[in-house]
Amino acid sequence: MRSASEVTVSYNKSSTATASVSGTAGIEAEAGVIFTKASTSFSVTVGGEWSSSKSWNYEMKAKKVKGKNQVRMRLYHEAKKFRVGKSITTNKPNCKGKTTKHVWNKTIVAPTKRSSNDFWRLEYRKV
């Protein structure tokens, strides 16, 4: 964090950003199928993690914000949120219909595999 009394916030460093899937407990075996179907649905590739390593210089002009005395730059990366589930359907004895058992339902937030929608934002706070 830098003091908000400074007028420029800059990033000049080699760094790696990583985003990982949240909400995946119990679905590891189906992960490949889930991400393939989600990627098709969103028309963008999603996956278990995304990382990027770059070296660049990026500057943003910070404003003086009343009641705030620190500012920081934060990198945002696109992610997609979706619900998945697994059900098992079995035939009842003597051809008397079917039974469906819901094994699990999860909400997943998965990072996209592209970096074209990344953006920086200034965040202000009072310390």
Side-chain angles (χ1 to χ4, degrees):
M1 290 294 249
R2 291 186 176 214
S3 169
S5 64
E6 296 178 29
V7 293
T8 302
V9 179
S10 66
Y11 184 91
N12 185 6
K13 181 180 177 182
S14 179
S15 183
T16 299
T18 302
S20 299
V21 172
S22 61
T24 59
I27 64 168
E28 293 83 5
E30 290 87 3
V33 173
I34 291 168
F35 292 137
T36 299
K37 288 183 178 182
S39 296
T40 301
S41 175
F42 293 126
S43 299
V44 62
T45 304
V46 296
E49 67 179 1
W50 165 86
S51 67
S52 179
S53 183
K54 299 178 183 177
S55 179
W56 70 95
N57 185 23
Y58 192 78
E59 292 185 346
M60 297 179 80
K61 297 290 184 187
K63 300 175 188 174
K64 289 187 178 182
V65 177
K66 186 176 180 178
K68 309 291 183 184
N69 61 3
Q70 285 190 339
V71 62
R72 69 177 172 185
M73 287 173 55
R74 178 173 279 187
L75 173 65
Y76 287 84
H77 179 78
E78 180 182 12
K80 298 293 183 180
K81 182 177 183 177
F82 52 96
R83 284 196 53 79
V84 295
K86 181 176 183 177
S87 300
I88 298 174
T89 302
T90 55
N91 292 323
K92 290 182 178 179
N94 302 323
C95 298
K96 298 201 182 222
K98 296 181 180 183
T99 303
T100 301
K101 176 183 175 186
H102 297 283
V103 180
W104 52 260
N105 286 302
K106 300 284 181 192
T107 298
I108 295 177
V109 178
T112 62
K113 292 288 189 176
R114 65 182 179 192
S115 296
S116 60
N117 289 345
D118 293 349
F119 65 94
W120 289 93
R121 179 175 286 164
L122 292 177
E123 295 179 345
Y124 298 88
R125 74 177 189 170
K126 172 79 172 154
V127 180

